[in-house]
Amino acid sequence: MFGYYLDLALRSLKRNRALTALMVLAIALGIGASMTTLTVLHVLSGDPLPGKSAQLYYPQVDPQDIKGMLPNKEPPDQVTLIDGLNLLRAGRADHQALMSGGSVPIQPEQSSLDPFYVEARYTTADFFAMFDAPFLYGHGWTAAHGEAKAREVVIAKSLNDKLFGGANSVGRTLRMAGTSFRIVGVLDSWQPNPHFYDLNTGSYAYGEQVFLPLQTMLELRLDRNGSTDCWGNGGGGVGSILPSDTCVWLQFWVQLDSPAKAAAYKEFLVHYSQEQKALGRFQRTPNVRLRNVMQWLDYQMVVPNDVRLQTGLAFGFLLVCLVNTVGLMLAKFMRRAAELGVRRALGASRRALFAQLLIESGVVGLVGGCGGLLLAMAGLWLVRQRPSDYAVLAHLDLSMLFTTFMLAVCATLLAGLLPAWRACQIAPALQLKSN
């Protein structure tokens, strides 16, 4: 019977092409708008390290002076160099990494390539293991080499392709900022989104090309990127001049493999703050925070508010489109009351008529879903053209394709319930009246 009902549905839709086109267009516009914004929201609010983010935490302590202190004020988003090194060397976490961002000039060996700048990450040895950074060749530097200010570097796959044609470059020399570094590892394609471990240098579509020991950077006074917040008479530092001790400018992450370890580490932060206050460095009462990756992203409000608003408006527009589709379907089905009455007179049950009209609604939804999918892809292409740091993330994966079709068909079937029910109820009355 399904094939028969499908044939009747296609004949009916072809009979009034203008009305059919209006219904398909309404569904396509609603689905296209809602799926475009939903896809962008889904990508922007995604977990950058699935399966690992719940174990990674961002500790915060409050070393600021008492001046201008507000109740319940959040501690600074970054740490000073003194606090960062103290917490790092305390070794209370399963892994820990202290870091900052910057940019360095590359002097290629090839005469065909001009010198150029790349984004850099100055960090400590646990960085790669903590964040599951995949290696194509080699490995990271050791903690001992990091403390010894070794001239070692890990480079990204894209830089390796550019400088060495994709070959294994471990052991070769890379000259940066006038200093020769030995390449110890090459990362495979890796770019967490959002760029959670340092939101100051960019939230989305941002990735470093070189990674080198933080202590090496401090000795060579390499240029930094990112934000610096100071208090008192502290200076933020310019270029190769490091910020003063009363400035926060570094990010510190820890890996804690169980909730018990997380609770213990937060207690350690409280004790550390008390100790620093006793030494005269901290003036405020202990004010600490310990958020995991997703909590940190939520606190930082990484997903733009306008994206959430646009998603809500798009689904409101989809609701308007569905209401219009209900009206168009009701008008179409009521115009066929005489035809349906004849079918009832020939023995068709209300259930059969109801199934026939629902299949017709499903066909409209299927075609509208195809149109909505095309509009969603066009909308995402337009999003990619926007001059924003998250535009390149908007993509429609297979799960979204499936969601688009299912949403279109289900929404249209729901929209067709009322018109189909009304048409089935009227048909018998018209049949009796005609007798």
Side-chain angles (χ1 to χ4, degrees):
M1 294 298 293
F2 176 80
Y4 175 63
Y5 292 154
L6 180 61
D7 182 63
L8 290 178
L10 294 176
R11 290 173 183 269
S12 174
L13 293 174
K14 291 178 181 178
R15 193 177 304 140
N16 195 331
R17 299 176 185 270
L19 194 57
T20 299
L22 284 175
M23 291 188 291
V24 170
L25 182 61
I27 293 294
L29 288 175
I31 294 296
S34 58
M35 291 308 300
T36 299
T37 56
L38 181 62
T39 300
V40 174
L41 179 63
H42 170 73
V43 173
L44 295 185
S45 59
D47 188 341
L49 288 179
K52 188 70 177 290
S53 61
Q55 302 168 12
L56 301 178
Y57 293 84
Y58 193 76
Q60 293 171 265
V61 295
D62 196 346
Q64 299 176 98
D65 57 26
I66 206 72
K67 183 179 179 180
M69 181 178 179
L70 298 175
N72 301 319
K73 183 180 179 182
E74 289 283 338
D77 289 345
Q78 301 180 100
V79 296
T80 65
L81 179 60
I82 293 176
D83 292 321
L85 292 176
N86 286 343
L87 295 174
L88 176 71
R89 290 165 180 168
R92 294 299 187 94
D94 296 296
H95 293 288
Q96 49 267 314
L98 182 63
M99 67 192 76
S100 183
S103 59
V104 293
I106 303 292
Q107 291 97 32
E109 294 178 350
Q110 304 94 319
S111 58
S112 58
L113 289 177
D114 293 329
F116 57 93
Y117 274 85
V118 297
E119 299 300 321
R121 176 64 30 185
Y122 314 126
T123 185
T124 50
D126 282 356
F127 176 92
F128 307 104
M130 275 183 60
F131 299 140
D132 289 342
F135 277 88
L136 185 63
Y137 306 114
H139 48 75
W141 59 87
T142 64
H145 285 190
E147 286 292 331
K149 306 169 187 176
R151 300 323 193 238
E152 296 179 345
V153 65
V154 172
I155 66 175
K157 181 178 183 296
S158 56
L159 183 61
N160 187 65
D161 292 342
K162 182 174 183 178
L163 296 178
F164 304 105
N168 185 350
S169 58
V170 173
R172 300 187 65 172
T173 298
L174 177 64
R175 192 161 180 81
M176 300 185 299
T179 302
S180 296
F181 287 80
R182 186 173 68 90
I183 299 174
V184 296
V186 178
L187 288 182
D188 205 346
S189 299
W190 184 70
Q191 187 178 3
N193 280 303
H195 189 253
F196 68 94
Y197 54 82
D198 186 0
L199 298 173
N200 300 292
T201 52
S203 299
Y204 296 95
Y206 180 89
E208 296 89 355
Q209 297 292 297
V210 297
F211 302 79
L212 57 146
L214 177 65
Q215 292 289 356
T216 304
M217 169 267 180
L218 295 175
E219 183 174 69
L220 296 177
R221 295 292 194 268
L222 300 178
D223 290 343
R224 301 177 303 102
N225 293 335
S227 67
T228 301
D229 297 311
C230 303
W231 60 93
N233 297 321
V238 178
S240 61
I241 302 175
L242 293 178
S244 68
D245 293 339
T246 55
C247 296
V248 290
W249 57 281
L250 292 150
Q251 304 83 47
F252 183 63
W253 284 89
V254 297
Q255 178 177 330
L256 303 166
D257 293 336
S258 70
K261 290 183 177 181
Y265 196 88
K266 188 170 184 179
E267 187 66 23
F268 160 70
L269 293 177
V270 173
H271 293 321
Y272 173 80
S273 298
Q274 292 171 338
E275 178 187 75
Q276 294 301 307
K277 185 177 181 182
L279 293 173
R281 284 196 61 242
F282 287 11
Q283 298 182 24
R284 305 185 181 190
T285 56
N287 182 23
V288 304
R289 301 290 188 276
L290 188 65
R291 297 179 171 95
N292 64 29
V293 171
M294 298 308 294
Q295 291 169 340
W296 176 247
L297 294 177
D298 184 60
Y299 167 68
Q300 292 291 322
M301 294 185 291
V302 171
V303 179
N305 289 329
D306 62 335
V307 174
R308 299 183 187 276
L309 177 62
Q310 290 166 7
T311 303
L313 292 175
F315 274 90
F317 178 65
L318 174 61
L319 180 61
V320 171
C321 292
L322 290 178
V323 171
N324 288 334
T325 303
V326 169
L328 293 172
M329 284 187 178
L330 186 59
K332 179 178 177 62
F333 291 165
M334 296 303 290
R335 287 180 58 184
R336 296 168 53 195
E339 172 194 333
L340 297 174
V342 171
R343 289 205 60 213
R344 286 283 284 139
L346 293 176
S349 64
R350 289 180 178 177
R351 179 178 297 180
L353 293 182
F354 189 72
Q356 173 193 339
L357 297 178
L358 275 186
I359 290 176
E360 188 170 330
S361 301
V363 172
V364 172
L366 187 62
V367 178
C370 293
L373 176 60
L374 294 176
L375 289 176
M377 295 177 68
L380 292 172
W381 180 83
L382 291 175
V383 169
R384 292 188 187 100
Q385 311 311 307
R386 292 179 55 187
S388 63
D389 60 353
Y390 60 84
V392 296
L393 299 176
H395 64 278
L396 199 65
D397 56 22
L398 293 178
S399 63
M400 285 296 175
L401 291 176
F402 179 75
T403 302
T404 299
F405 279 108
M406 292 303 298
L407 181 61
V409 175
C410 292
T412 313
L413 287 175
L414 289 174
L417 288 176
L418 177 62
W421 179 79
R422 285 292 304 273
C424 292
Q425 296 300 314
I426 294 175
L430 294 177
Q431 173 196 347
L432 292 174
K433 185 176 180 180
S434 63
N435 290 335

mmCIF file of all heavy atoms in Angstrom, residues 271-297:
data_model
loop_
_atom_site.group_PDB
_atom_site.id
_atom_site.type_symbol
_atom_site.label_atom_id
_atom_site.label_comp_id
_atom_site.label_asym_id
_atom_site.label_seq_id
_atom_site.Cartn_x
_atom_site.Cartn_y
_atom_site.Cartn_z
ATOM 1 N N HIS A 271 46.245 26.416 50.615
ATOM 2 C CA HIS A 271 47.415 26.428 51.491
ATOM 3 C C HIS A 271 48.559 27.236 50.876
ATOM 4 O O HIS A 271 49.282 27.953 51.596
ATOM 5 C CB HIS A 271 47.885 24.999 51.780
ATOM 6 C CG HIS A 271 46.927 24.199 52.598
ATOM 7 N ND1 HIS A 271 46.208 24.745 53.651
ATOM 8 C CD2 HIS A 271 46.547 22.883 52.544
ATOM 9 C CE1 HIS A 271 45.443 23.814 54.208
ATOM 10 N NE2 HIS A 271 45.629 22.671 53.535
ATOM 11 N N TYR A 272 48.723 27.122 49.574
ATOM 12 C CA TYR A 272 49.765 27.905 48.905
ATOM 13 C C TYR A 272 49.495 29.403 49.062
ATOM 14 O O TYR A 272 50.420 30.192 49.336
ATOM 15 C CB TYR A 272 49.827 27.529 47.423
ATOM 16 C CG TYR A 272 50.757 28.410 46.619
ATOM 17 C CD1 TYR A 272 52.129 28.201 46.645
ATOM 18 C CD2 TYR A 272 50.263 29.461 45.850
ATOM 19 C CE1 TYR A 272 52.996 29.023 45.923
ATOM 20 C CE2 TYR A 272 51.108 30.280 45.125
ATOM 21 C CZ TYR A 272 52.476 30.060 45.171
ATOM 22 O OH TYR A 272 53.337 30.889 44.464
ATOM 23 N N SER A 273 48.242 29.811 48.897
ATOM 24 C CA SER A 273 47.889 31.225 49.041
ATOM 25 C C SER A 273 48.144 31.702 50.464
ATOM 26 O O SER A 273 48.630 32.829 50.676
ATOM 27 C CB SER A 273 46.426 31.440 48.658
ATOM 28 O OG SER A 273 46.188 31.091 47.309
ATOM 29 N N GLN A 274 47.805 30.868 51.439
ATOM 30 C CA GLN A 274 48.062 31.231 52.836
ATOM 31 C C GLN A 274 49.562 31.380 53.088
ATOM 32 O O GLN A 274 50.003 32.309 53.785
ATOM 33 C CB GLN A 274 47.462 30.161 53.763
ATOM 34 C CG GLN A 274 45.935 30.118 53.740
ATOM 35 C CD GLN A 274 45.381 28.921 54.492
ATOM 36 O OE1 GLN A 274 46.075 27.916 54.681
ATOM 37 N NE2 GLN A 274 44.116 29.008 54.906
ATOM 38 N N GLU A 275 50.342 30.490 52.534
ATOM 39 C CA GLU A 275 51.794 30.545 52.701
ATOM 40 C C GLU A 275 52.366 31.817 52.081
ATOM 41 O O GLU A 275 53.218 32.496 52.682
ATOM 42 C CB GLU A 275 52.423 29.310 52.062
ATOM 43 C CG GLU A 275 53.942 29.282 52.125
ATOM 44 C CD GLU A 275 54.516 28.127 51.320
ATOM 45 O OE1 GLU A 275 54.517 28.231 50.074
ATOM 46 O OE2 GLU A 275 54.933 27.124 51.931
ATOM 47 N N GLN A 276 51.900 32.163 50.869
ATOM 48 C CA GLN A 276 52.389 33.368 50.203
ATOM 49 C C GLN A 276 51.949 34.630 50.932
ATOM 50 O O GLN A 276 52.676 35.625 50.949
ATOM 51 C CB GLN A 276 51.901 33.388 48.748
ATOM 52 C CG GLN A 276 52.469 32.284 47.886
ATOM 53 C CD GLN A 276 53.986 32.320 47.811
ATOM 54 O OE1 GLN A 276 54.572 33.354 47.480
ATOM 55 N NE2 GLN A 276 54.627 31.196 48.129
ATOM 56 N N LYS A 277 50.775 34.596 51.570
ATOM 57 C CA LYS A 277 50.333 35.747 52.360
ATOM 58 C C LYS A 277 51.213 35.905 53.590
ATOM 59 O O LYS A 277 51.579 37.025 53.984
ATOM 60 C CB LYS A 277 48.874 35.568 52.761
ATOM 61 C CG LYS A 277 48.297 36.793 53.480
ATOM 62 C CD LYS A 277 46.829 36.616 53.809
ATOM 63 C CE LYS A 277 46.297 37.873 54.502
ATOM 64 N NZ LYS A 277 44.860 37.727 54.892
ATOM 65 N N ALA A 278 51.572 34.764 54.200
ATOM 66 C CA ALA A 278 52.452 34.822 55.361
ATOM 67 C C ALA A 278 53.830 35.369 54.987
ATOM 68 O O ALA A 278 54.487 36.044 55.790
ATOM 69 C CB ALA A 278 52.580 33.435 55.984
ATOM 70 N N LEU A 279 54.267 35.115 53.776
ATOM 71 C CA LEU A 279 55.562 35.612 53.303
ATOM 72 C C LEU A 279 55.496 37.066 52.852
ATOM 73 O O LEU A 279 56.535 37.663 52.543
ATOM 74 C CB LEU A 279 56.060 34.741 52.139
ATOM 75 C CG LEU A 279 56.420 33.293 52.490
ATOM 76 C CD1 LEU A 279 56.730 32.505 51.222
ATOM 77 C CD2 LEU A 279 57.597 33.243 53.455
ATOM 78 N N GLY A 280 54.293 37.614 52.777
ATOM 79 C CA GLY A 280 54.133 39.012 52.393
ATOM 80 C C GLY A 280 53.886 39.250 50.919
ATOM 81 O O GLY A 280 53.708 40.391 50.498
ATOM 82 N N ARG A 281 53.855 38.209 50.087
ATOM 83 C CA ARG A 281 53.599 38.389 48.651
ATOM 84 C C ARG A 281 52.122 38.609 48.372
ATOM 85 O O ARG A 281 51.766 39.451 47.553
ATOM 86 C CB ARG A 281 54.079 37.159 47.866
ATOM 87 C CG ARG A 281 55.583 37.061 47.688
ATOM 88 C CD ARG A 281 55.921 36.061 46.592
ATOM 89 N NE ARG A 281 55.372 36.457 45.317
ATOM 90 C CZ ARG A 281 54.472 35.747 44.628
ATOM 91 N NH1 ARG A 281 54.009 34.596 45.105
ATOM 92 N NH2 ARG A 281 54.037 36.175 43.466
ATOM 93 N N PHE A 282 51.250 37.819 48.992
ATOM 94 C CA PHE A 282 49.808 37.968 48.810
ATOM 95 C C PHE A 282 49.254 38.851 49.932
ATOM 96 O O PHE A 282 49.677 38.738 51.089
ATOM 97 C CB PHE A 282 49.115 36.612 48.846
ATOM 98 C CG PHE A 282 49.345 35.758 47.617
ATOM 99 C CD1 PHE A 282 50.293 36.093 46.682
ATOM 100 C CD2 PHE A 282 48.596 34.602 47.414
ATOM 101 C CE1 PHE A 282 50.509 35.308 45.559
ATOM 102 C CE2 PHE A 282 48.796 33.815 46.298
ATOM 103 C CZ PHE A 282 49.757 34.164 45.374
ATOM 104 N N GLN A 283 48.305 39.699 49.567
ATOM 105 C CA GLN A 283 47.669 40.549 50.560
ATOM 106 C C GLN A 283 46.235 40.115 50.853
ATOM 107 O O GLN A 283 45.708 40.404 51.928
ATOM 108 C CB GLN A 283 47.671 42.008 50.084
ATOM 109 C CG GLN A 283 49.068 42.581 49.893
ATOM 110 C CD GLN A 283 49.028 44.041 49.479
ATOM 111 O OE1 GLN A 283 48.065 44.753 49.740
ATOM 112 N NE2 GLN A 283 50.110 44.497 48.832
ATOM 113 N N ARG A 284 45.637 39.451 49.955
ATOM 114 C CA ARG A 284 44.231 39.076 50.110
ATOM 115 C C ARG A 284 44.110 37.701 50.768
ATOM 116 O O ARG A 284 45.042 36.895 50.755
ATOM 117 C CB ARG A 284 43.531 39.071 48.754
ATOM 118 C CG ARG A 284 43.661 40.387 48.002
ATOM 119 C CD ARG A 284 42.855 40.395 46.735
ATOM 120 N NE ARG A 284 43.024 41.659 46.018
ATOM 121 C CZ ARG A 284 42.285 42.017 44.959
ATOM 122 N NH1 ARG A 284 41.358 41.203 44.495
ATOM 123 N NH2 ARG A 284 42.489 43.183 44.372
ATOM 124 N N THR A 285 42.929 37.452 51.321
ATOM 125 C CA THR A 285 42.642 36.119 51.828
ATOM 126 C C THR A 285 42.623 35.142 50.659
ATOM 127 O O THR A 285 42.373 35.551 49.506
ATOM 128 C CB THR A 285 41.287 36.091 52.555
ATOM 129 O OG1 THR A 285 40.267 36.556 51.660
ATOM 130 C CG2 THR A 285 41.316 36.967 53.794
ATOM 131 N N PRO A 286 42.890 33.865 50.893
ATOM 132 C CA PRO A 286 42.928 32.906 49.777
ATOM 133 C C PRO A 286 41.687 32.986 48.903
ATOM 134 O O PRO A 286 40.546 32.896 49.383
ATOM 135 C CB PRO A 286 43.025 31.558 50.492
ATOM 136 C CG PRO A 286 43.726 31.866 51.762
ATOM 137 C CD PRO A 286 43.223 33.223 52.181
ATOM 138 N N ASN A 287 41.924 33.184 47.633
ATOM 139 C CA ASN A 287 40.849 33.316 46.646
ATOM 140 C C ASN A 287 41.264 32.483 45.432
ATOM 141 O O ASN A 287 41.986 32.951 44.559
ATOM 142 C CB ASN A 287 40.654 34.786 46.274
ATOM 143 C CG ASN A 287 39.521 34.992 45.279
ATOM 144 O OD1 ASN A 287 38.619 34.161 45.164
ATOM 145 N ND2 ASN A 287 39.560 36.105 44.561
ATOM 146 N N VAL A 288 40.846 31.230 45.413
ATOM 147 C CA VAL A 288 41.317 30.302 44.383
ATOM 148 C C VAL A 288 40.140 29.739 43.603
ATOM 149 O O VAL A 288 38.999 29.710 44.078
ATOM 150 C CB VAL A 288 42.135 29.148 45.010
ATOM 151 C CG1 VAL A 288 43.282 29.705 45.836
ATOM 152 C CG2 VAL A 288 41.262 28.241 45.856
ATOM 153 N N ARG A 289 40.425 29.284 42.405
ATOM 154 C CA ARG A 289 39.449 28.595 41.566
ATOM 155 C C ARG A 289 40.151 27.428 40.880
ATOM 156 O O ARG A 289 41.363 27.470 40.631
ATOM 157 C CB ARG A 289 38.861 29.514 40.493
ATOM 158 C CG ARG A 289 38.144 30.746 41.017
ATOM 159 C CD ARG A 289 36.846 30.413 41.711
ATOM 160 N NE ARG A 289 36.107 31.617 42.041
ATOM 161 C CZ ARG A 289 36.306 32.357 43.131
ATOM 162 N NH1 ARG A 289 37.251 32.000 44.003
ATOM 163 N NH2 ARG A 289 35.595 33.453 43.341
ATOM 164 N N LEU A 290 39.381 26.399 40.565
ATOM 165 C CA LEU A 290 39.923 25.240 39.844
ATOM 166 C C LEU A 290 38.815 24.710 38.933
ATOM 167 O O LEU A 290 37.940 23.979 39.358
ATOM 168 C CB LEU A 290 40.389 24.157 40.818
ATOM 169 C CG LEU A 290 41.139 22.970 40.191
ATOM 170 C CD1 LEU A 290 42.460 23.437 39.578
ATOM 171 C CD2 LEU A 290 41.386 21.876 41.226
ATOM 172 N N ARG A 291 38.869 25.114 37.663
ATOM 173 C CA ARG A 291 37.828 24.748 36.699
ATOM 174 C C ARG A 291 38.409 23.788 35.664
ATOM 175 O O ARG A 291 39.547 23.954 35.227
ATOM 176 C CB ARG A 291 37.292 25.989 35.989
ATOM 177 C CG ARG A 291 36.604 26.999 36.895
ATOM 178 C CD ARG A 291 36.136 28.204 36.078
ATOM 179 N NE ARG A 291 35.292 29.101 36.834
ATOM 180 C CZ ARG A 291 35.720 30.194 37.478
ATOM 181 N NH1 ARG A 291 37.012 30.505 37.446
ATOM 182 N NH2 ARG A 291 34.875 30.972 38.128
ATOM 183 N N ASN A 292 37.578 22.821 35.248
ATOM 184 C CA ASN A 292 38.018 21.963 34.150
ATOM 185 C C ASN A 292 37.814 22.685 32.821
ATOM 186 O O ASN A 292 37.340 23.829 32.786
ATOM 187 C CB ASN A 292 37.315 20.603 34.192
ATOM 188 C CG ASN A 292 35.809 20.705 33.986
ATOM 189 O OD1 ASN A 292 35.308 21.611 33.316
ATOM 190 N ND2 ASN A 292 35.074 19.762 34.561
ATOM 191 N N VAL A 293 38.140 22.025 31.731
ATOM 192 C CA VAL A 293 38.150 22.697 30.422
ATOM 193 C C VAL A 293 36.792 23.288 30.069
ATOM 194 O O VAL A 293 36.684 24.472 29.715
ATOM 195 C CB VAL A 293 38.606 21.710 29.323
ATOM 196 C CG1 VAL A 293 38.401 22.323 27.940
ATOM 197 C CG2 VAL A 293 40.065 21.344 29.502
ATOM 198 N N MET A 294 35.731 22.487 30.154
ATOM 199 C CA MET A 294 34.429 22.978 29.751
ATOM 200 C C MET A 294 33.920 24.065 30.699
ATOM 201 O O MET A 294 33.262 25.024 30.259
ATOM 202 C CB MET A 294 33.433 21.817 29.680
ATOM 203 C CG MET A 294 33.800 20.748 28.653
ATOM 204 S SD MET A 294 34.137 21.402 26.991
ATOM 205 C CE MET A 294 32.518 22.018 26.518
ATOM 206 N N GLN A 295 34.206 23.943 31.983
ATOM 207 C CA GLN A 295 33.832 24.993 32.931
ATOM 208 C C GLN A 295 34.599 26.276 32.638
ATOM 209 O O GLN A 295 34.046 27.379 32.746
ATOM 210 C CB GLN A 295 34.107 24.522 34.357
ATOM 211 C CG GLN A 295 33.199 23.402 34.834
ATOM 212 C CD GLN A 295 33.678 22.788 36.147
ATOM 213 O OE1 GLN A 295 34.845 22.920 36.526
ATOM 214 N NE2 GLN A 295 32.773 22.092 36.831
ATOM 215 N N TRP A 296 35.853 26.144 32.268
ATOM 216 C CA TRP A 296 36.666 27.309 31.934
ATOM 217 C C TRP A 296 36.130 28.013 30.684
ATOM 218 O O TRP A 296 36.035 29.249 30.646
ATOM 219 C CB TRP A 296 38.110 26.885 31.732
ATOM 220 C CG TRP A 296 39.044 27.969 31.300
ATOM 221 C CD1 TRP A 296 39.680 28.073 30.105
ATOM 222 C CD2 TRP A 296 39.454 29.103 32.071
ATOM 223 N NE1 TRP A 296 40.465 29.195 30.069
ATOM 224 C CE2 TRP A 296 40.345 29.854 31.276
ATOM 225 C CE3 TRP A 296 39.149 29.557 33.351
ATOM 226 C CZ2 TRP A 296 40.929 31.035 31.720
ATOM 227 C CZ3 TRP A 296 39.737 30.738 33.798
ATOM 228 C CH2 TRP A 296 40.612 31.461 32.980
ATOM 229 N N LEU A 297 35.758 27.245 29.673
ATOM 230 C CA LEU A 297 35.205 27.840 28.456
ATOM 231 C C LEU A 297 33.887 28.527 28.738
ATOM 232 O O LEU A 297 33.585 29.597 28.187
ATOM 233 C CB LEU A 297 35.027 26.761 27.384
ATOM 234 C CG LEU A 297 36.313 26.122 26.845
ATOM 235 C CD1 LEU A 297 35.978 25.027 25.847
ATOM 236 C CD2 LEU A 297 37.225 27.162 26.220
#
